[in-house]
């Protein structure tokens, strides 16, 4: 095992070990503060974080407004309160050690407003901001205004070059580094582009070398690359440490910190992850963000996959290809191909009798109770994404004008529920593709370790 030497991150020398920020509430002030306490970097999620009453009890999110725009405004206000609360907790737990970072989803509606609202009130509490899920052009300007380091999360050298040319070249001082998140291995939302095949993963080494070459050409030789996605044990990455082709590097751990005593996720969620096998995490594209994401296969995800497999193309008028009439409702009829007729009838006979159109001129089949729940979820939309395929919410216009997509789901509802002791079967469970290693890692044989114990294990290379 090569020596793990401290490097400068967000203005302080710390160990190059970083806790990945996972929302909603899958990393918070407790976990991030514990990582910072060990002279590492802790990262709390800035997406709908918890805030507390005077007695330290979590105040559940609550929306009273009748319209989406007003509920969106409530969501922004509550998010700012939550970020400030978690930053304070992290600061206290850290004991002044390490660094505290905040992770922001750029595609979160109001992300810039939230980030600005937090940083102007959190002086001395937050040292850096990581941001991905989209191209965060204004991140450098916002962070630099408050003297906070910023770390864009990208999955290719090309993406960083676009950000640099358009914005970051004017805010070099507080560019703390670049997070390379492997799009095939990371948990949660992934940065796969249309030019990349989700079924043909590329090795991160060549992509990291390309990123370093690009950064060096821009005069960023001393800025570290933070490797994220698929990082479990440092012994797997020996060739990346002290490698002149990669330069300064730090390692971000996303999934592995989820099973620690300080991790805020439920005990049921932790027990499930300890039992998973290789292949139990699926890379799919059901997220209402439109991005690929990786999650644990359970009842929730399986049903989305079944719905997608039952999808059928249609025409509103009969023609040579679409000649079989399908009654969608009492007053509406669509036409499908004769070869799809059996597929449609089988789904209806199985109880999936509600037929709904998608934005792509296809139909899917829902159970009546699924449709009732879907309508309720759309009615309660809080406008959490800049553009939501599930509800057709658009931050810019209020409504995207596109047909709501019944192949998707309310991401805010399911992530908030599972992070507050909700069902681990009927909710989305984000996880990275290395999660199966919990089952064979000796660290977890005698119970759940503390963050300190995990970091000592990581430092040993294991």
């Amino acid at each position: 095992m090569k020596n793990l030497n401290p490097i400068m991150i967000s203005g302080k020398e710390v160990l190059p070990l970083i806790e990945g920020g996972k929302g909603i509430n899958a990393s918070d002030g407790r976990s991030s503060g514990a990582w910072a306490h060990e002279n590492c970097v802790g990262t709390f999620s800035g997406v709908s974080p918890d805030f507390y009453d005077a007695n330290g009890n979590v105040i559940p999110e609550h929306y009273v407004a009748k319209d989406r725009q007003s509920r969106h405004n409530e969501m922004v206000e509550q998010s700012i309160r939550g970020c400030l609360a978690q930053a304070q907790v992290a600061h206290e737990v850290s004991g002044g050690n390490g660094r505290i970072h905040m992770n922001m989803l750029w595609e979160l509606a109001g992300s810039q407003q939230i980030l600005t609202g937090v940083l102007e009130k959190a002086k001395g509490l937050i040292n850096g901001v990581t941001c991905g899920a989209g191209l965060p052009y204004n991140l450098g300007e916002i962070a630099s205004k408050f003297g906070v380091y910023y770390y864009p999360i990208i999955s290719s050298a090309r993406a960083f070059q676009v950000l640099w040319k358009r914005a970051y070249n004017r805010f070099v001082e507080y560019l703390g580094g670049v997070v390379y998140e492997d799009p095939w291995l990371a948990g949660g939302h992934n940065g796969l582009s249309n030019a990349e095949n989700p079924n043909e993963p590329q090795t991160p080494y060549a992509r990291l070398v390309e990123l370093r070459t690009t950064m060096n050409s821009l005069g960023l030789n001393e800025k570290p690359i933070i490797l994220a996605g698929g990082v479990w044990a440092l012994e797997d990455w020996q060739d990346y440490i002290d490698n002149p082709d990669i330069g300064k590097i730090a390692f971000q751990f996303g999934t592995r910190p989820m099973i620690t005593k300080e991790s805020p996720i439920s005990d049921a969620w932790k027990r499930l992850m300890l039992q998973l096998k290789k292949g139990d995490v699926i890379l799919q594209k059901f997220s209402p963000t439109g991005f690929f994401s990786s999650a644990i296969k359970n009842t929730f995800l399986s049903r989305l996959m079944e719905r997608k497999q039952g999808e059928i193309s249609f025409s509103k008028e009969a023609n040579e290809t679409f000649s079989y009439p399908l009654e969608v409702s009492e007053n509406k009829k669509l036409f499908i191909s004769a070869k799809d007729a059996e597929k449609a009838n089988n789904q209806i006979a199985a109880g999936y009798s509600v037929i709904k159109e998608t934005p792509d001129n296809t139909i899917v089949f829902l159970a009546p109770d699924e449709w009732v729940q879907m309508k309720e979820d759309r009615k309660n939309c809080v406008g959490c994404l800049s553009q939501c395929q599930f509800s057709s919410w658009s931050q810019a216009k209020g409504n995207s004008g596109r047909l709501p997509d019944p192949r998707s789901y309310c991401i805010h509802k399911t992530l908030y529920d599972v992070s507050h002791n909700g069902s681990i079967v009927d909710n989305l469970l984000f996880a990275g593709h290395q999660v199966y290693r919990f089952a064979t890692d000796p660290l977890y044989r005698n119970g759940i370790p503390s963050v300190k114990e995990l970091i000592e294990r990581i430092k040993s290379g294991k």
Side-chain angles (χ1 to χ4, degrees), residues 222-428:
E222 296 303 308
K223 304 289 185 181
I225 292 174
I226 297 167
L227 176 61
V231 179
W232 186 273
L234 292 182
E235 63 184 0
D236 303 332
W237 307 94
Q238 287 293 287
D239 293 342
Y240 293 62
I241 300 173
D242 296 329
N243 185 319
D245 291 334
I246 293 175
K248 289 185 178 180
I249 188 169
F251 297 89
Q252 180 168 300
F253 296 79
T255 298
R256 204 172 181 192
M258 294 178 76
I259 302 186
T260 59
K261 292 175 181 176
E262 294 87 350
S263 169
I265 70 170
S266 69
D267 290 341
W269 193 347
K270 292 176 184 178
R271 286 194 298 270
L272 174 67
M273 289 199 294
L274 285 168
Q275 302 167 16
L276 295 177
K277 300 178 178 62
K278 196 169 187 176
D280 283 345
V281 170
I282 309 295
L283 180 63
Q284 34 68 36
K285 206 176 183 184
F286 297 115
S287 171
T289 61
F291 297 128
F292 279 92
S293 66
S294 295
I296 296 169
K297 187 175 180 181
N298 59 2
T299 301
F300 181 91
L301 192 55
S302 294
R303 179 63 194 122
L304 289 169
M305 295 167 70
E306 290 168 1
R307 192 178 301 162
K308 175 67 177 174
Q309 289 164 1
E311 188 175 7
I312 291 174
S313 298
F314 74 90
S315 171
K316 293 183 178 179
E317 305 290 337
N319 56 42
E320 186 175 338
T321 303
F322 300 102
S323 57
Y324 185 88
L326 183 68
E327 190 172 312
V328 174
S329 64
E330 195 173 312
N331 302 312
K332 186 174 182 180
K333 188 179 293 184
L334 298 175
F335 296 87
I336 62 176
S337 67
K339 67 180 177 63
D340 283 332
E342 184 179 1
K343 184 177 181 179
N345 290 330
N346 286 343
Q347 292 186 83
I348 294 169
Y352 301 110
S353 55
V354 179
I355 304 169
K356 291 296 164 185
E357 296 179 36
T358 79
D360 299 320
N361 291 320
T362 61
I363 51 174
V364 292
F365 298 77
L366 311 173
D369 61 331
E370 290 177 327
W371 175 234
V372 169
Q373 186 63 61
M374 193 172 285
K375 288 190 291 184
E376 182 70 13
D377 291 344
R378 286 174 178 158
K379 185 182 78 172
N380 295 330
C381 173
V382 300
C384 72
L385 296 175
S386 62
Q387 291 200 68
C388 178
Q389 294 181 358
F390 173 74
S391 68
S392 286
W393 156 266
S394 166
Q395 182 183 0
K397 297 179 285 187
N399 192 302
S400 68
R402 285 174 60 82
L403 197 67
D405 198 334
R407 297 166 298 186
S408 193
Y409 53 88
C410 177
I411 193 166
H412 182 273
K413 174 193 169 185
T414 187
L415 293 181
Y416 191 86
D417 188 52
V418 77
S419 69
H420 292 82
N421 296 307
S423 171
I424 59 168
V425 175
D426 299 316
N427 281 306
L428 185 71

Side-chain angles (χ1 to χ4, degrees), residues 147-214:
V148 172
Y149 292 89
Y150 67 99
Y151 300 80
I153 302 172
I154 51 90
S155 59
S156 68
R158 181 177 175 275
F160 177 70
Q161 202 159 27
V162 170
L163 288 167
W164 175 264
K165 287 182 177 179
R166 180 162 166 179
Y168 293 173
N169 64 86
R170 301 193 301 276
F171 306 99
V172 182
E173 181 182 0
Y174 284 100
L175 175 63
V178 180
V179 181
Y180 169 79
E181 186 175 73
D182 189 276
W184 291 276
L185 294 174
H189 290 104
N190 305 80
L192 279 168
S193 71
N194 293 331
E196 292 161 332
N197 188 333
N199 300 314
E200 295 180 3
Q202 299 174 18
T203 58
Y205 186 87
R207 295 167 73 92
L208 277 182
V209 171
E210 183 183 8
L211 175 59
R212 174 52 70 192
T213 301
T214 297

Side-chain angles (χ1 to χ4, degrees), residues 136-152:
Y137 292 114
N138 297 334
L139 176 63
E141 181 179 8
I142 295 171
S144 298
K145 178 182 177 182
F146 298 101
V148 172
Y149 292 89
Y150 67 99
Y151 300 80

